[in-house]
Each structure stands twice: as C-alpha cells, then as structure tokens.
Amino acid sequence: MHEDLLKRHLELVIEANKTTNITRISTWDEGMLLHVQDSLIGLPELNDAPEGWYVDIGSGAGYPGIPLAIESGRKTLLADSVGKKTTILDGIIAQLGLSSVETYTGRIEDLAREHPGEFAVVTARALSRVSVLMEFASPLLQKGGRLICYKARMEDDELEHALSLQETLGMTLVSDRTLELEDRCRRIMCFEKTAKPKIKLPRKTSFAQKRPL
C-alpha cells in the first residue's frame, strides 16, 4: 500500500507540473530516483527522532514530506511560502487520503511565531545553507527535537560555519552520513535541539538568508 501511495504521489506531481512549475524533474524514472528514493534516505533519522508533530519546510512538491509521512504515519505539516504549491499539495493530499498531513502557506519565521517549540522533527531538502536551516529549525523545535538536513556535496567552510553556531542556536550535530544515490552524493545531517538559543529567534523575516549569522 505504501508503494502504491508513493507512486501515485509522483504521478500527481508529474501531472500538476505540466501546468504549474513545482519541480524541475519531469520524468518518471528521474522522479522515482531523485524524489521518492532520495526522500526516503532520511527515514532512519526520522524514526530515531522523538514522537510528535513533523514539519517539512520549503516542501515544494511534497518531498521529502509526503513520502516520510506515508512511511512513518506521523502527523505532518508541509510548509511552503508559495500559495500555488500548497494549493496543489492540498489536492494531492486529498487524493491520496492522507488524513494526518496538512499544509501551511507562509514564511518559516511566521510558522515559528505561530507554533513555537511545537515540532519534534524538521526536514529541509536542498533549501539553504546548513547554518540557515539550523536558525530556521531552532525556534520550531521542542527540546530534544531533530533537524534533518538533506545536502549534496558540501564545502568544508559551510560545515565549519554551521558547527561554530551550535551553541548560539542551541543545536547540536548528532549524526552525519554520506551515501551514493546512483551517481549522486547525498549527505544527511541531523541536529538535535539541546538548549535554548542564545539569541532571540526567529529574527525578522528574511534575515536568516539576507543577513546570515
């Protein structure tokens, strides 16, 4: 049943993409590899996280959020700032019958103001630098909650900068693994919310990306 839902999700994404650009991937084989299989790489980290509400930020076409929701059964929120994308996601969720999955249209900072510390897990795939993702996730997460970052190959300075902000943001790296997805590199980094951040979060909307720490 899970496999059928995963395939049906991809079918609906490819169909929607014909009229609205929600993903650069347009073929079945690419979608199965670079969306479905790639999304499920982070499932072990999700299963290791505390029980509770899960949010996929910058969800786009629902990856990795929908596959992880299907496999885990967690209450899931797909967050994206683009209303056209969340409208499509609402339709996909309804057609898949995923009663535990909802959407949020808005900026990540606004979500953190509305639901501070309410999430057990945050995922982000190909969204931003790790330090920015840590800043986004910290005010969303409960203590002990996890941020799961999906990254490709990463320069050393990006990692070093992220690690230098752990104490400031109250986020601690707990696992880091790299694997190959056919000829592509996928790195899964997992941070735990271990303390209150030493600065007030969230900062003003867009500061995390326009004025990074």
Side-chain angles (χ1 to χ4, degrees):
M1 180 179 176
H2 286 183
E3 184 177 353
D4 290 344
L5 286 172
L6 294 169
K7 289 180 176 178
R8 181 60 178 148
H9 174 208
L10 180 58
E11 288 174 357
L12 293 170
V13 166
I14 291 173
E15 184 63 28
N17 206 48
K18 293 176 181 177
T19 54
T20 304
N21 184 24
I22 57 171
T23 175
R24 61 176 178 78
I25 292 169
S26 58
T27 68
W28 179 262
D29 289 344
E30 265 196 319
M32 285 301 296
L33 176 68
L34 300 178
H35 276 333
V36 181
Q37 291 181 42
D38 185 58
S39 293
L40 294 177
I41 287 173
L43 185 61
E45 282 79 5
L46 182 73
N47 287 336
D48 283 344
E51 293 184 3
W53 202 5
Y54 154 50
V55 60
D56 180 33
I57 58 176
S59 196
Y63 295 105
I66 287 179
L68 292 178
I70 289 170
E71 292 295 333
S72 70
R74 281 185 187 254
K75 179 185 176 185
T76 298
L77 187 66
L78 309 177
D80 203 286
S81 62
V82 181
K84 285 184 179 180
K85 292 181 180 180
T86 54
T87 297
I88 289 170
L89 287 174
D90 285 333
I92 289 173
I93 291 165
Q95 291 186 70
L96 296 177
L98 300 177
S99 59
S100 63
V101 181
E102 299 177 355
T103 63
Y104 175 88
T105 306
R107 301 298 295 264
I108 300 165
E109 296 94 336
D110 291 331
L111 178 63
R113 293 182 188 103
E114 294 170 30
H115 299 281
E118 293 187 22
F119 295 91
V121 190
V122 174
T123 58
R125 190 176 79 130
L127 183 62
S128 191
R129 291 173 62 88
V130 174
S131 57
V132 173
L133 300 178
M134 292 164 65
E135 180 177 344
F136 280 150
S138 183
L140 289 166
L141 288 169
Q142 63 190 44
K143 191 171 182 182
R146 301 289 178 91
L147 163 66
I148 303 169
C149 304
Y150 287 66
K151 300 291 292 184
R153 285 185 172 86
M154 185 168 50
E155 299 295 331
D156 290 343
D157 65 337
E158 180 179 349
L159 176 59
E160 290 170 7
H161 182 59
L163 296 180
S164 74
L165 291 171
Q166 290 181 104
E167 186 175 350
T168 301
L169 297 173
M171 303 286 290
T172 303
L173 181 67
V174 291
S175 67
D176 181 4
R177 63 187 175 97
T178 302
L179 63 160
E180 298 296 323
L181 190 65
E182 291 196 355
D183 61 341
R184 299 167 187 264
C185 173
R186 172 55 81 199
R187 187 169 183 173
I188 302 291
M189 301 182 67
C190 186
F191 291 83
E192 181 175 332
K193 174 79 173 285
T194 52
K196 288 184 177 180
K198 293 187 177 297
I199 59 174
K200 182 174 173 54
L201 294 176
R203 292 192 288 159
K204 290 182 179 179
T205 300
S206 82
F207 269 33
Q209 291 170 306
K210 292 182 178 179
R211 300 184 187 180
L213 296 172

